[in-house]
Amino acid sequence: YYASVMKEGDSVLDLCSSWISHLPEGLELGRVAGLGMNEQELSRNSRLTEFVVQDLNLQPKLPYDDASFDFVCNVVSVDYLNKPIQIFKEMHRVLKPGGTAIMSFSNRCFPTKAIAIWGQTDDSGHIWIVGSYYKFSAEWSDVKALDITERKEGQAFGDPMFVVQGTK
């Protein structure tokens, strides 16, 4: 999905980053900052140009200047954020005008780490939860949900994947 929305030279903040960022291999991006909880994993991520070790559940303030990034991404970790409104406000702050925040997730998670309501809802409930983070955090525009599940011959292949994104 990223390959369809990102372009060469874009700056990206990968929230809840780890050893992989899921960014298109052939796309030459500009600044790619990773923020995650494990220094060893972050240091192995070849797509990152820089990284910060930080637990967003303990410290939801992002250590970046206003209007620093074209994109903020979070891959399969939005369900673990226990201060999502503060974090979404921060994502809005660090995005450049016209920048986009992309939250992607499936129906898999670590149930002991996910917020309680996540385990009590289905895919459409998850979309609603993430959409509400945009609605109640800042002046996001063009908030939309997409089903990006891989399909072969019209049939879902593998885990379902969804994106909820908004633009500053």
Side-chain angles (χ1 to χ4, degrees):
Y1 177 74
Y2 293 148
S4 70
V5 295
M6 294 178 182
K7 63 185 184 318
E8 189 172 319
D10 279 342
S11 55
V12 178
L13 171 57
D14 182 10
L15 285 185
C16 304
S17 189
S18 185
W19 65 277
I20 189 168
S21 290
H22 304 282
L23 297 168
E25 283 301 321
L27 183 61
E28 291 297 325
L29 296 166
R31 179 184 186 191
V32 180
L35 188 146
M37 292 176 36
N38 186 310
E39 185 172 5
Q40 279 186 318
E41 290 179 2
L42 290 165
S43 68
R44 291 190 351 228
N45 187 328
S46 63
R47 291 308 306 261
L48 301 180
T49 60
E50 64 188 82
F51 66 84
V52 171
V53 177
Q54 180 176 324
D55 184 340
L56 290 172
N57 287 333
L58 298 176
Q59 177 48 268
K61 174 109 171 100
L62 297 177
Y64 304 103
D65 293 335
D66 295 356
S68 296
F69 298 97
D70 297 299
F71 289 92
V72 175
C73 307
N74 179 297
V75 179
V76 298
S77 294
V78 70
D79 47 328
Y80 305 126
L81 301 177
N82 65 24
K83 294 178 174 81
I85 301 302
Q86 292 109 313
I87 294 165
F88 274 63
K89 284 179 183 176
E90 282 290 293
M91 290 188 315
H92 191 270
R93 180 185 64 77
V94 302
L95 278 170
K96 297 175 183 177
T100 302
I102 302 172
M103 304 295 109
S104 60
F105 50 91
S106 74
N107 62 358
R108 291 186 179 218
C109 70
F110 294 105
T112 58
K113 295 181 180 181
I115 58 169
I117 195 171
W118 198 267
Q120 300 166 11
T121 56
D122 60 8
D123 294 336
S124 61
H126 299 157
I127 291 166
W128 182 86
I129 291 166
V130 178
S132 71
Y133 296 162
Y134 286 98
K135 168 88 174 145
F136 297 109
S137 64
E139 293 296 319
W140 295 97
S141 65
D142 196 27
V143 176
K144 59 186 170 187
L146 305 164
D147 180 346
I148 61 165
T149 303
E150 186 176 354
R151 299 185 189 284
K152 290 186 179 179
E153 299 176 13
Q155 299 295 319
F157 178 78
D159 294 334
M161 272 305 285
F162 303 96
V163 163
V164 180
Q165 67 181 41
T167 302
K168 178 175 179 178

